[in-house]
């Protein structure tokens, strides 16, 4: 088997294609969760705590050069080391929300699988005539 045909057989397996689709959807879903946290949840949390923007909470670890604004983006651009704990808090909240959503999805999928597995019922009792015919057959075979 040539290298190209072997790679084609590998790439066309159902699991590889499913994994690729899952990664693409996961990346898009991650962007949605980032937006939910950054645009919906964190502003509400900030409003509760007095209008704070958590993404701008940081501790400067070195002297700030003159003329550099004291925003996280400008300090990082200037190469000033910062301990960006607010940004970390936002990303950690993204993870918790994403993990919770994935947990709920897996829980629902498992519930649906259990319902599908339980669906096949035991075969119905055969009619009385069939039972009697089987008994006659068995007694004749002795």
């Amino acid at each position: 088997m040539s290298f190209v045909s072997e790679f084609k057989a590998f790439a066309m397996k159902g699991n590889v294609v499913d994994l690729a689709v899952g990664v693409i959807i996961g990346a898009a879903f991650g962007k949605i969760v980032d937006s939910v946290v950054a645009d919906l949840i964190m502003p509400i949390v900030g409003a509760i705590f007095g209008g704070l923007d958590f993404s701008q909470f940081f501790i400067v670890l070195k002297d700030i050069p003159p003329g550099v604004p004291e925003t996280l983006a400008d300090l990082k651009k200037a190469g000033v080391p910062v301990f960006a704990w607010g940004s970390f808090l936002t990303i950690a909240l993204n993870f918790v929300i994403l993990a919770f959503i994935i947990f709920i999805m897996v829980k629902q999928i498992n519930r649906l699988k259990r319902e599908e597995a339980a669906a096949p019922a035991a075969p119905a009792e055969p009619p009385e005539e069939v039972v009697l015919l089987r008994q006659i057959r068995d007694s004749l075979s002795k």
Side-chain angles (χ1 to χ4, degrees):
M1 191 179 234
S2 72
F3 180 77
V4 174
S5 61
E6 189 175 346
F7 177 74
K8 182 180 176 184
F10 167 77
M12 291 300 141
K13 285 184 181 177
N15 294 343
V16 175
V17 174
D18 292 344
L19 179 62
V21 169
V23 168
I24 292 168
I25 290 175
F29 189 68
K31 289 180 182 181
I32 291 170
V33 170
D34 286 343
S35 176
V36 166
V37 171
D39 301 331
L40 302 177
I41 294 175
M42 291 311 277
I44 293 170
V45 171
I48 291 171
F49 290 105
L52 300 174
D53 179 12
F54 283 94
S55 65
Q56 292 300 315
F57 285 168
F58 57 89
I59 298 171
V60 179
L61 301 175
K62 191 177 175 186
D63 292 334
I64 301 173
V68 175
E70 289 192 33
T71 64
L72 183 60
D74 291 329
L75 290 171
K76 283 185 174 183
K77 189 175 179 183
V80 178
V82 292
F83 185 74
W85 67 271
S87 179
F88 173 78
L89 179 67
T90 303
I91 291 171
L93 189 58
N94 282 357
F95 172 76
V96 169
I97 291 171
L98 184 61
F100 179 73
I101 291 171
I102 296 297
F103 169 74
I104 297 297
M105 287 173 48
V106 169
K107 188 174 178 178
Q108 292 302 319
I109 289 170
N110 287 339
R111 184 180 61 85
L112 290 174
K113 283 183 180 178
R114 272 185 264 135
E115 288 177 3
E116 287 176 5
E125 286 284 326
E128 188 176 342
E129 298 87 19
V130 173
V131 173
L132 290 172
L133 287 172
R134 285 181 184 165
Q135 289 174 349
I136 294 170
R137 178 198 64 200
D138 293 342
S139 65
L140 288 173
S141 66
K142 292 183 183 179

